[in-house]
Structure formats: structure tokens, C-alpha cells
Amino acid sequence: MDAAQHPPLRGAALPQPSAVQRVFGSTWASVAIYAVVMGLIIYGSYTGAQNMGYNWQWSRVPQFLYSFTDDGFQLGEMIIGLGLTLKLSATAFLLATGLGLCVALLRLSGLVVGTAVAIGFLEFVRNIPLLVLLYLFYYVLGPIFGLDRYTASVLTLAVFHSALISEILRAGINAVPTGQ
């Protein structure tokens, strides 16, 4: 049979959106709605702050960001804290990636003991809230191993996120076909 003998395939016509759906589904309407909602949020925040009767004293903020002393330019406490937070996060991420890779490979190893240890670690860490894990590392393991606040924080974040990273890596490895 050739193409001339087959009638063209015709399906049912797609329903056309109503006029209201066409207007509110357009880009300009979405931008307008977004602008109105953001304006209402800003207006509500401003009027709420004014009605509180509190003087915010924004002029005091720069001293926590920077200062000029006899020694020259000095960073403020907030900028120093931001730097320490970024350093802590980067260190914890690197440790979490390494530990997560080890746990993922241990879980995929096929060894009964290795898989059981990895599953036990994952279930233990994923079922504990981060704050409880922080208390565990700081108040329980900290005095035993002599951990300071910074080290306890890095280890807490590394252990907590390594469980998540290991599952991501394991899913990625399992997604690759066996022959590749």
C-alpha cells in the first residue's frame, strides 16, 4: 500500500483557551501581576515598619561592615563573619563530597557488610535533624575528642550533607547503563 491509499490522520481539534486564559497567560500580564504583588509586599512591609513606632537607625549599620581607624581600613564584624561562614561552608562541602563519594561507593560495592554499613549510616544521619546532630557533635563528641566550635560545625555539616550527596552520586552512577 502506498501513501495515496491511506487517508490523512486527523484527531480531534485541541480546545482553544478562553479569552481570560489568553490574557492572564500572556507574558505582559504575568509581569504586571508580579509587579503588583511585589508592590503590595513592599508597601505592607513599609507601613508595618512605620506603624511599629521603632526608629531603625540605619546609620549605625556601616560600623559593623567597615571602619577607618588609625591603622587604616578595617573590616567589620559582619564582613568577617561572612568570610568565616563561606570558609566553613566550603570546607564542609569538600569534606561532604569526599565522604559522600565513599559512602556511595560502599553502598554500590555489593559487599554485604559494606552495603549494611552505608545504609545504616544513611538512615541514621538522614533521620536526625541537623540541630540534634550539631548538639551531638558539639556537646557529646566535642569534649571527648577536643573539638572546638568551628571544627564541630564543619564536621556536622559535612556528615549531614554527605548523606544527601551520597544518594545523589549513587543515583547518578545507577543511571549510567552497564555497558558504558
Side-chain angles (χ1 to χ4, degrees), residues 19-37:
V20 173
Q21 289 175 335
R22 282 195 305 267
V23 169
F24 284 107
S26 65
T27 303
W28 66 268
S30 298
V31 170
I33 292 170
Y34 176 77
V36 167
V37 169

Side-chain angles (χ1 to χ4, degrees), residues 6 8 16 20 34 45 49 61 70 103 122 136 143 149 156 170 173 175:
H6 291 293
Q16 295 296 322
V20 173
Y34 176 77
S45 299
V61 172
D70 294 337
V103 172
L122 290 171
L136 177 72
R149 290 181 295 194
T156 301
R170 184 186 62 82
I173 292 170

Side-chain angles (χ1 to χ4, degrees), residues 79-95 148 150-151 153-154 157:
I79 301 298
I80 293 171
L82 176 66
L84 287 174
T85 301
L86 292 175
K87 179 182 167 188
L88 183 140
S89 298
T91 307
F93 175 73
L94 291 175
L95 287 174
D148 60 336
Y150 184 82
T151 307
S153 301
V154 167
L157 289 175

Side-chain angles (χ1 to χ4, degrees), residues 64-119:
F64 297 104
L65 299 175
Y66 63 90
S67 63
F68 293 102
T69 62
D70 294 337
D71 297 332
F73 180 78
Q74 301 289 323
L75 293 176
E77 289 87 1
M78 289 181 71
I79 301 298
I80 293 171
L82 176 66
L84 287 174
T85 301
L86 292 175
K87 179 182 167 188
L88 183 140
S89 298
T91 307
F93 175 73
L94 291 175
L95 287 174
T97 304
L99 184 60
L101 179 63
C102 292
V103 172
L105 293 176
L106 193 62
R107 180 138 185 225
L108 293 171
S109 67
L111 302 171
V112 175
V113 174
T115 304
V117 168
I119 290 174

Side-chain angles (χ1 to χ4, degrees), residues 137-153:
F137 271 87
Y138 186 70
Y139 290 113
V140 177
L141 299 177
I144 294 172
F145 295 110
L147 302 176
D148 60 336
R149 290 181 295 194
Y150 184 82
T151 307
S153 301

